[in-house]
Amino acid sequence: MTTPVVSIAYHSGYGHTAVIAEAVREGAAAAGATVHLIRVDEIDDAQWELLDGSDAIVFGSPTYMGTASGAFHRFAEDSSKRWFTDAWKEKLAAGFTNSASKSGDKLHTLQYFATLAAQHGMHWVNLGLKPGWNSTAGSEHDLNRLGFFFGAAAQTNSDEGQEGVHKADIATAEHLGRRVAETARTFIAGRAAVAA
């Protein structure tokens, strides 16, 4: 069985989003994937090649002023070189974000990631979880406690460091990593079956 390769291309301004990126990595690795963590503000030619060779790319950024960070936007613009050659066409894509507010317009950041993926001809993998913490029986410790469907969304208080990243948000990000790796494995097997 072929091992899927998942790359996580992310930016983290203060370390909170890096915690979420690591959780996505752990989830994908636990599902049997080879995983690369790539900080887009430090990306080099070898890391661009890792992205090109991946079965799935998970985009991540904090949400600043209603969208992904400037560093992530720069990476997205630089990815246009891949767009011209269809280097990422037919790969899987997914996304995650973090902000201090419960909403914080995180949905816009996730939609931005999905639009970027669509421009590259990629296939979007959603979170695949029902919302948590939306009834009297729910709690802030539920998976998907913030109720996002497009991807994994986290909330961390603005006056807390990395230790303040909510454990339920970390677990939700791990779920996303597993889902991406499992979907990649299915895609790889399907392509092999079609080729045969």
Side-chain angles (χ1 to χ4, degrees), residues 117-143:
Q119 289 183 337
H120 279 286
M122 302 170 82
H123 303 283
W124 189 256
V125 179
N126 60 51
L127 186 58
L129 285 175
K130 297 283 194 294
W133 201 21
N134 67 355
S135 71
T136 56
S139 89
E140 67 173 299
H141 304 292
D142 293 342
L143 285 179

Side-chain angles (χ1 to χ4, degrees), residues 42-64:
E42 301 172 354
I43 193 167
D44 59 26
D45 289 342
Q47 290 171 321
W48 280 110
E49 290 176 14
L50 286 175
L51 293 174
D52 295 345
S54 297
D55 299 298
I57 302 173
V58 184
F59 302 125
S61 169
T63 294
Y64 293 154

Side-chain angles (χ1 to χ4, degrees), residues 38-140:
I38 298 171
R39 289 190 56 116
V40 300
D41 54 334
E42 301 172 354
I43 193 167
D44 59 26
D45 289 342
Q47 290 171 321
W48 280 110
E49 290 176 14
L50 286 175
L51 293 174
D52 295 345
S54 297
D55 299 298
I57 302 173
V58 184
F59 302 125
S61 169
T63 294
Y64 293 154
M65 303 306 293
T67 189
S69 67
F72 191 92
H73 277 268
R74 176 60 187 263
F75 160 77
E77 289 178 20
D78 289 345
S79 77
S80 64
K81 293 174 184 165
R82 271 65 193 165
W83 179 83
F84 280 108
T85 62
D86 289 331
W88 296 355
K89 190 171 184 178
E90 307 305 340
K91 294 184 186 302
L92 299 178
F96 61 91
T97 188
N98 178 80
S99 73
S101 298
K102 296 288 190 287
S103 170
D105 293 319
K106 287 188 270 282
L107 177 59
H108 184 261
T109 300
L110 295 172
Q111 289 171 328
Y112 168 72
F113 293 155
T115 300
L116 174 64
Q119 289 183 337
H120 279 286
M122 302 170 82
H123 303 283
W124 189 256
V125 179
N126 60 51
L127 186 58
L129 285 175
K130 297 283 194 294
W133 201 21
N134 67 355
S135 71
T136 56
S139 89
E140 67 173 299

